[in-house]
Structures are given as structure tokens and as C-alpha cells.
Amino acid sequence: MNTVVDNQGISRGEDDDQEDPASGTPNNGSSNEQPRKAIQSVEIGVRVLKALMDCGKDGAHLREVAEKSGLSRSQTHRYLLAFVNTGVVEQNAQSSRYALGAFAVRLGVAALARVDPVQIAGNHLASVLEELQTTGLLSVWGNYGPTVIRWIDGGIPLFTSLHVGSVLPVQASSTGILFLTHCQRVLTQPIIDSERAGGLVIDDKELEVQTVKAREMGYASTLGTVVPGLSAVSVPVFDPDNKLVATMSILSRVQDKNFYTKPRIERIRAAAIEASRAIGWSG
């Protein structure tokens, strides 16, 4: 039986959290003691996950996670192994780095989906995509930048590496341009710096031209800059405080040059305005 130390410095066996089959209450070794209000191992596991999140989107080695979580390497490794086995964390076979896994993405998406603004925007997007018979996506600002939280297929199939959980480049995507346009630079600058360190560099003057245009036109567009052969038009969704809460994007193949007609663009803009007003925006 492994031993852990509780918040009062008392050593307890991990098996102490098991329920007493007869009573249905935690068996803590004494009938006079109150049941423990939490399972400490779960709380420690969350500390490990938080530490992993703080290490950045490229993941981290065991020692980094251990340092940030304040645990020993052996204890950290046991928790990480459990998370790997359940899909919450994944480990790169080449670099041995740990990063959040597919199940963690699903948890995050499920949590975001419960937020009313996201649900409202998603419903409006689904409606306009059905009308236009095309594919689209809904994105919000995540820890690593604009993140796809909903993907809706429709119309002609599009072959792309994009999926729920994908992080879009701030400098090179229509979604990213909208976040640059409507969010404070203190939020977006760290992501810009990270992209530039990775080799994606777009001049500040060019970014300013694009953000001014996006503000004037009410939308942003890109032509094959994120995924070759794929073009996109994105529109902003605002909350009651006039803050950008999500972006709605419609996608098409670059070869379909006549897809983005003025009526289609106005329709997706109208859908975003309707969603914003349903959320409480008064603009």
C-alpha cells in the first residue's frame, strides 16, 4: 500500500479512500472520524495537469512538470503515466515530452460548449452553413491562441488537417486577424512572438493594414495561407461588453474563386450579428 501525506502532515495509505462496503462511506480507519471531504490524489493530479499546461503547447519533460508542480520526479511520473493511459496526456516518442492529449481536448471543448455564448454562436453558424452548403468552424481564444472548438461539415468535402483543438496562426489566418483587430495587444503579442520565434514572421505594418481592413469591412479573409488550397472568411461574435468571444468561419477551396460572393459574405456577417445580439451585444 502506498503512503501519502495529507494536509495536516498525517501519513495515510492510498487505500484509505476506499468505501466501506457495508456503510457506503469512506473507510478511513476509525468510525469516530469524519469522512474526508476530498480525494487528495485527484487534487495532486490536477496540480500535475496545471503544471503541464503552464509549460506551453510544445509540452515538457518530466523534470519540468515536477518542478512546476512541486512534486518529486517519481511521483510526477506515476501521475503522468496514469494520464497517458487514460488519454488525458500524451508523450512524444522521439522527444519524450509530455503534452495534453486528445481526451483533455475533448474535456475542454465540452466545458466550452456549455457556455451559452459558444452554444449560441455555434447554432447560428450551423444554420448559415446549412443554408450555404459549405463547411465552417467556430473558434475562441485559448491558452495558445485562436483555437477551433467546433467543426461543421457541409456541402463539398474539404480535405484538411484542421480539426477540433487545432490552434490557428494569429498572423496568417482570418480568425487570427480578427483577434488581432478586436483584442488588446497584451493578449496577442506573446502568441505573435512565439510564432515569429518558430519562423512565421509577418511585418507589423502588414498586420496593421489587415486589421484596419478587417475593422472597416467587418470580416477577414485568407487565401491558402493556413492550409494550401483552402480559403476562409471569418466574422466576429461579440458579447454585451463589446468583447470578441468567438469567430465564425466559412471555408471553401481556393479553386472555387466565385464562392465568396457579396451576398454570401453578407449572410455570414448577418449570422454573426444575430448571434452577438442573441448573446446581448447592443452594437
Side-chain angles (χ1 to χ4, degrees):
M1 178 178 67
N2 294 329
T3 300
V4 297
V5 180
D6 64 15
N7 293 334
Q8 287 74 42
I10 301 174
S11 296
R12 300 182 186 272
E14 288 186 341
D15 293 341
D16 290 346
D17 287 323
Q18 296 180 351
E19 288 188 354
D20 184 334
S23 65
T25 57
N27 177 11
N28 52 26
S30 172
S31 60
N32 296 325
E33 292 184 15
Q34 293 295 322
R36 297 175 68 184
K37 295 183 179 180
I39 300 174
Q40 190 183 41
S41 59
V42 174
E43 296 175 348
I44 295 174
V46 172
R47 280 171 55 189
V48 173
L49 291 178
K50 286 181 177 179
L52 188 58
M53 289 174 60
D54 291 341
C55 289
K57 66 178 182 180
D58 294 329
H61 289 108
L62 172 62
R63 65 176 183 279
E64 299 174 80
V65 182
E67 290 173 358
K68 286 184 177 293
S69 62
L71 303 173
S72 67
R73 292 192 186 184
S74 60
Q75 189 176 16
T76 302
H77 182 260
R78 289 198 298 273
Y79 278 95
L80 287 173
L81 180 59
F83 287 135
V84 168
N85 291 339
T86 54
V88 178
V89 170
E90 60 185 25
Q91 185 179 24
N92 185 289
Q94 284 70 43
S95 67
S96 296
R97 286 178 174 269
Y98 294 92
L100 294 180
F103 187 66
V105 172
R106 290 175 58 194
L107 284 175
V109 170
L112 286 171
R114 292 177 59 85
V115 180
D116 283 346
V118 172
Q119 186 65 46
I120 290 171
N123 290 341
H124 280 76
L125 175 61
S127 179
V128 75
L129 289 174
E130 182 178 2
E131 179 183 330
L132 299 180
Q133 288 295 290
T134 190
T135 295
L137 52 89
L138 185 71
S139 303
V140 299
W141 187 265
N143 288 338
Y144 309 125
T147 305
V148 177
I149 62 168
R150 190 169 178 185
W151 178 277
I152 303 175
D153 288 314
I156 300 174
L158 299 176
F159 299 96
T160 171
S161 59
L162 292 177
H163 54 79
V164 171
S166 290
V167 178
L168 302 171
V170 171
Q171 301 174 91
S173 67
S174 55
T175 292
I177 293 300
L178 288 182
F179 280 102
L180 284 179
T181 303
H182 299 287
C183 296
Q184 295 182 352
R185 197 62 177 251
V186 66
L187 177 70
T188 59
Q189 190 61 52
I191 305 301
I192 293 175
D193 293 341
S194 177
E195 289 179 356
R196 289 176 174 174
L200 176 58
V201 180
I202 297 179
D203 186 81
D204 282 337
K205 291 184 178 180
E206 174 59 25
L207 290 179
E208 184 177 359
V209 169
Q210 294 191 52
T211 55
V212 169
K213 180 179 179 181
R215 192 179 297 277
E216 291 177 348
M217 302 294 289
Y219 67 91
S221 61
T222 50
L223 191 67
T225 56
V226 177
V227 177
L230 194 67
S231 59
V233 167
S234 300
V235 290
V237 178
F238 299 104
D239 68 6
D241 297 320
N242 202 38
K243 293 181 179 178
L244 183 65
V245 292
T247 64
M248 298 162 53
S249 304
I250 56 175
L251 308 177
S252 179
R253 299 177 301 186
V254 171
Q255 66 196 63
D256 299 329
K257 297 180 180 180
N258 297 323
F259 179 81
Y260 295 111
T261 61
K262 184 176 180 180
R264 283 196 174 103
I265 292 176
E266 287 304 313
R267 183 64 190 93
I268 185 66
R269 285 193 62 209
I273 291 173
E274 291 167 6
S276 298
R277 288 178 177 164
I279 292 168
W281 180 63
S282 59

